[in-house]
Amino acid sequence: MLYDIQKEILRLKKEKDFCILAHSYQSEDILDIADFTGDSYALSVKAKGISNQNILMCGVRFMAETAKLLSPEKNVYLANPDAGCPMAEQFSKEYIQKLINDEYKGYAVVAYINTTTALKTVCDVCVTSSSAVKIVKNMPEKNILFIPDCNLGAYVAENCPEKNIKLLNGGCPVHAAITKEEALASKAKHPDALLLVHPECRKEVTDLADFAGSTADIMNFAMSSDAKEFIIGTENSIIQHLQIMCPDKKFFVMSKNLICNDMKLTTITDVYNTIAGFGGEEIILDDETITKAVGCINKMIELG
Ligand code: 13P
Ligand code: SF4
């Protein structure tokens, strides 16, 4: 059953020619009215082929900027302008450029897509959590500087032993804050459940997992597994989505702290306000930045 505000959004989006993209960490009422839902990689691929004139991103800023880079002729909006990603802003373009010039000359620079657009202008290829291993394997270069998340980078390095991967000391403050003790406590509390963990978590946590993979991988694993109980080691919002999709299974949090405040900022009212024309923010990027930054996103889609 749809609420009145959801019905109004569906009516308005048709009238105003909007396509709504929503990340899997968004709330159920937003996912219900979205044209397309998925992880960062799936949303990026989708953003390239949209026929509507207007795109509304329900997620965080780098996702809306990625959509703008891939569809520069469209009007792209971020539903809640305060929704950023603390990981994306960890390193400045100047700092990374200096590393490339001094310490890592000749290295290919692989950037987690959770980076600013400025940073993307100095990277060779972007990856998402679900595409990282495949893309790094498909790259011809052996020497790779992986930025900014050292946990995801270490996970990629473990799965691509043929590459020489250098890491920086960055990461997602939400996933990286989870301790081995919390993971062990969740396993002790739910001894029959499988532990599914995102590679943005520390290695000491992923080492305890029955399965480590991106948000999409975790969801697919839980949906297709014969097991009946799962501890979810990524943003807690997907527990509700999984519970709705798999009513015969049980899902538990690995930690009450696995909540991304930025992903939680967007409300159904923000979606309505943006489409109605009195909220949200239109993403504006200059042509030179678009030309420089789009290359690494296109390369991601090509290699992924
Ligand atoms: P995905 O690559 O799963 O979309 O991850 C987004 C994210 O913010 C993970 O922390
Ligand atoms: Fe950024 Fe981490 Fe939030 Fe994802 S979960 S948007 S990486 S802070």
Side-chain angles (χ1 to χ4, degrees):
M1 197 194 74
L2 292 178
Y3 296 107
D4 287 349
I5 191 166
Q6 291 174 301
K7 289 183 194 157
E8 187 56 11
I9 289 169
L10 292 176
R11 189 191 67 76
L12 265 183
K13 91 180 170 68
K14 212 180 256 179
E15 183 187 305
K16 300 209 172 188
D17 197 22
F18 265 87
C19 174
I20 301 179
L21 303 180
H23 189 270
S24 315
Y25 291 172
Q26 297 293 292
S27 54
E28 201 61 36
D29 53 354
I30 293 177
L31 298 193
D32 275 348
I33 49 85
D35 294 282
F36 193 79
T37 66
D39 66 357
S40 309
Y41 185 73
L43 294 180
S44 310
V45 173
K46 192 70 196 168
K48 217 172 149 72
I50 287 171
S51 58
N52 307 73
Q53 182 49 42
N54 301 297
I55 299 173
L56 174 56
M57 179 62 75
C58 304
V60 293
R61 183 168 292 273
F62 76 81
M63 296 174 182
E65 290 186 354
T66 302
K68 181 68 182 173
L69 291 173
L70 291 168
S71 290
E73 71 293 354
K74 309 281 182 189
N75 304 105
V76 178
Y77 299 86
L78 177 62
N80 188 315
D82 290 324
C85 165
M87 167 153 42
E89 286 151 32
Q90 259 163 355
F91 297 115
S92 70
K93 172 184 160 183
E94 291 68 30
Y95 175 71
I96 298 296
Q97 187 65 68
K98 190 162 162 31
L99 285 181
I100 298 169
N101 294 344
D102 300 347
E103 264 176 79
Y104 297 106
K105 237 189 198 100
Y107 277 65
V109 181
V110 175
Y112 196 15
I113 198 163
N114 306 31
T115 47
T116 58
T117 302
L119 208 46
K120 289 186 176 79
T121 64
V122 296
C123 296
D124 296 294
V125 59
C126 274
V127 296
T128 64
S129 57
S130 60
S131 64
V133 171
K134 186 172 179 194
I135 289 174
V136 169
K137 277 197 180 298
N138 283 344
M139 290 173 67
E141 296 89 350
K142 181 176 165 64
N143 294 327
I144 288 166
L145 172 63
F146 189 99
I147 63 168
D149 184 357
C150 63
N151 291 327
L152 179 66
Y155 168 81
V156 173
E158 202 173 308
N159 285 281
C160 303
E162 70 279 19
K163 303 283 181 180
N164 171 33
I165 299 180
K166 302 290 184 197
L167 307 172
L168 302 182
N169 195 18
C172 164
V174 179
H175 288 82
I178 305 309
T179 61
K180 181 180 172 180
E181 288 68 32
E182 281 175 285
L184 286 170
S186 69
K187 278 166 79 85
K189 197 168 170 190
H190 306 291
D192 296 331
L194 296 181
L195 176 62
L196 318 182
V197 161
H198 197 286
E200 284 176 16
C201 292
R202 300 181 205 173
K203 183 169 161 42
E204 64 192 45
V205 172
T206 49
D207 279 350
L208 292 171
D210 296 287
F211 175 79
S214 69
T215 310
D217 293 337
I218 287 175
M219 293 182 82
N220 290 335
F221 184 98
M223 286 189 286
S224 60
S225 168
D226 290 335
K228 290 286 177 213
E229 296 190 12
F230 306 88
I231 301 164
I232 299 298
T234 191
E235 221 283 341
N236 287 338
S237 55
I238 70 163
I239 290 178
Q240 187 189 15
H241 311 323
L242 283 168
Q243 197 64 82
I244 288 170
M245 287 185 282
C246 310
D248 59 325
K249 296 181 178 180
K250 284 187 180 163
F251 300 94
F252 308 105
V253 296
M254 176 168 73
S255 163
K256 282 188 278 189
N257 298 323
L258 265 169
I259 292 175
C260 173
N261 290 328
D262 284 86
M263 282 284 187
K264 288 275 167 287
L265 279 178
T266 306
T267 63
I268 194 80
T269 310
D270 293 327
V271 178
Y272 172 79
N273 287 347
T274 309
I275 299 187
F278 42 83
E281 178 186 320
E282 180 170 2
I283 301 295
I284 307 289
L285 298 172
D286 65 73
D287 290 347
E288 196 188 333
T289 304
I290 292 179
T291 309
K292 281 189 186 160
V294 73
C296 62
I297 311 239
N298 276 328
K299 192 110 181 265
M300 169 181 84
I301 294 173
E302 181 193 316
L303 292 172

